[in-house]
Amino acid sequence: MPTSRKIRLASYPEGLPKDSDWELTEEEVPEPGEGEVLIANRYVSLDPAMRGWVSPLPSYLPPVQPGEVMRAGAVGEVVASNVDELPVGTYVNGVLGVQEHTVSGPKGLRVVNPELAPLPTHLGALGMPGWTAYFGVFDIGEAKPGDTVVISAAAGAVGSVAGQIAKAHGCRTVGIAGGPEKCAMLLDEFGFDAAIDYKNDDLRAKLKETCPDRVDVYFDNVGGPVLDAVLGRLAMKARIPLCGGISQYNTDGKPVGPANYLAMIAARAKMEGFLVFDFYARYDEAVDHLAGLIADGKLVHHEHIVEGIERFNEALNMLFKGENTGKLVLQVGAAA
Ligand SMILES: NC(=O)c1ccc[n+]([C@@H]2O[C@H](COP(=O)([O-])OP(=O)(O)OC[C@H]3O[C@@H](n4cnc5c(N)ncnc54)[C@H](OP(=O)(O)O)[C@@H]3O)[C@@H](O)[C@H]2O)c1
């Protein structure tokens, strides 16, 4: 009988996830039932949000339970089908889990066009992080040509796309990332107008220097001290799409909130949290916009691929250690 490997949650991590928090199991490849397909997964998305999904604390999704296959987005190929619209050979994107094979009904599966871009890009610039950047910049950030847009975790999956789509829209873009290599990448590869190394620069002084007209939109991916520093440099009527707060995801206590929030009163600023899922009905619009920019050479997509399902924990932790550039994915099947 052919077998398939899966990552199951062993116990809820404390702080940074450890190898022992997961169990790698090898199980028989399941058969698809009536109205189901069998998908051979190729690439699994590694997302900071996974840390919140393995916490027993209440969140926007129910926690993964110990013993369950770890929740994850993934792209794969239909290899057996009892669904007419999803014949064998179709590539799909969905919440397929950290596993080599998934049986699923058609609900929640999106057909992926591999001619638009390589499969991993459908987990990055053309997938969930790209959609997050698109709706965060335009719907929540209300970015307008001429605005100064500051983005944190700017060399990552969401941030690198957010910077490029804002730039293509006529904004002035300033990226914040950790280390000189990432900052060089912001300028040379992702076309930011300025880069700030939050690990080595004086953040407040650099914000003053790189944002002479202050900050109209701050796309916050990290929270913590970076958020506080940008709050001190807001322009009038600034918008702050609150996308994520990765600096707080592995703290055992409560996350530290912004201390400098009173600056928002003086700036008459608006901070708004959002989840990409809220825009589900408009994902095609985002894909069209992003694919158009890729075709025009205005959006560079960058994927960071780690090979082997057994490296799941090591790869996940790269997000929290700042070891990834662009979209981090785990290759669990044949390269495509
Ligand atoms: N709201 C939504 O619907 C939604 C959807 C997707 C993602 N998100 C959020 O968006 C953010 C970015 O996600 P992503 O998938 O694009 O990840 P990513 O940026 O590709 O990777 C995470 C990056 O965060 C930075 N980082 C890690 N620890 C940090 C810390 N303590 N302080 C500052 N920066 C830190 C690291 O870059 P450096 O080397 O530069 O530090 C790391 O490479 C996350 O907060 C995520 O939860 C939200």
Side-chain angles (χ1 to χ4, degrees):
M1 272 297 186
T3 57
S4 177
R5 294 182 297 167
K6 300 170 187 292
I7 294 285
R8 293 183 181 274
L9 177 66
S11 55
Y12 290 122
E14 285 174 17
L16 278 181
K18 301 179 295 298
D19 283 336
S20 56
D21 295 324
W22 314 101
E23 190 189 358
L24 177 64
T25 62
E26 186 149 1
E27 302 169 26
E28 225 169 79
V29 175
E31 300 266 338
E34 195 64 28
E36 290 182 330
V37 293
L38 174 66
I39 302 157
N41 297 325
R42 298 285 186 86
Y43 298 92
V44 168
S45 180
L46 294 163
D47 292 289
M50 287 171 144
R51 183 63 188 86
W53 300 341
V54 291
S55 157
L57 298 175
S59 183
Y60 60 94
L61 284 177
V64 177
Q65 296 296 320
E68 283 181 355
V69 172
M70 179 57 191
R71 180 186 295 141
V75 283
E77 182 182 358
V78 173
V79 291
S81 177
N82 293 320
V83 178
D84 291 344
E85 316 81 76
L86 297 172
V88 167
T90 308
Y91 288 98
V92 291
N93 182 346
V95 183
L96 306 177
V98 187
Q99 52 188 341
E100 291 171 332
H101 292 87
T102 306
V103 163
S104 171
K107 194 164 173 260
L109 296 181
R110 284 177 57 86
V111 173
V112 154
N113 177 0
E115 284 172 17
L116 223 45
L119 277 190
T121 311
H122 293 272
L123 293 176
L126 288 184
M128 188 276 287
W131 311 333
T132 305
Y134 176 81
F135 297 113
V137 166
F138 294 126
D139 284 76
I140 312 295
E142 298 172 48
K144 297 182 298 298
D147 278 350
T148 296
V149 178
V150 174
I151 296 160
S152 51
V158 174
S160 62
V161 177
Q164 293 181 85
I165 59 180
K167 175 82 182 172
H169 193 58
C171 303
R172 188 163 176 282
T173 52
V174 178
I176 304 178
E181 289 86 8
K182 284 196 179 180
C183 284
M185 194 173 183
L186 294 186
L187 300 173
D188 302 340
E189 193 168 335
F190 299 133
F192 280 81
D193 292 296
I196 302 178
D197 175 357
Y198 76 94
K199 288 184 175 164
N200 297 295
D201 289 335
D202 176 339
L203 193 48
R204 282 167 208 274
K206 269 284 184 185
L207 280 165
K208 203 168 171 189
E209 178 193 317
T210 58
C211 305
D213 298 328
R214 298 183 164 262
V215 179
D216 298 296
V217 180
Y218 172 49
F219 194 113
D220 186 26
N221 285 317
V222 306
V226 176
L227 171 59
D228 268 334
V230 184
L231 288 180
R233 192 69 196 152
L234 296 179
M236 275 293 168
K237 291 281 184 186
R239 286 84 63 200
I240 305 166
L242 209 53
C243 178
I246 193 168
S247 71
Q248 306 299 311
Y249 291 174
N250 289 293
T251 53
D252 282 337
K254 285 206 165 162
V256 177
N260 204 10
Y261 72 99
L262 294 182
M264 291 177 60
I265 300 176
R268 284 73 157 178
K270 186 170 77 176
M271 182 186 277
E272 184 175 353
F274 73 102
L275 282 172
V276 65
F277 314 119
D278 303 341
F279 296 93
Y280 182 80
R282 290 173 54 203
Y283 284 175
D284 286 344
E285 169 194 326
V287 173
D288 287 348
H289 184 91
L290 296 160
L293 289 178
I294 291 177
D296 292 347
K298 291 183 176 162
L299 175 58
V300 174
H301 56 86
H302 185 102
E303 291 89 28
H304 190 143
I305 298 174
V306 176
E307 249 181 88
I309 193 168
E310 66 285 355
R311 293 180 66 194
F312 168 69
N313 186 64
E314 172 198 338
L316 178 63
N317 276 308
M318 289 171 70
L319 293 168
F320 306 116
K321 294 176 181 169
E323 291 172 355
N324 67 303
T325 46
K327 175 62 199 167
L328 185 65
V329 296
L330 188 66
Q331 188 182 330
V332 301

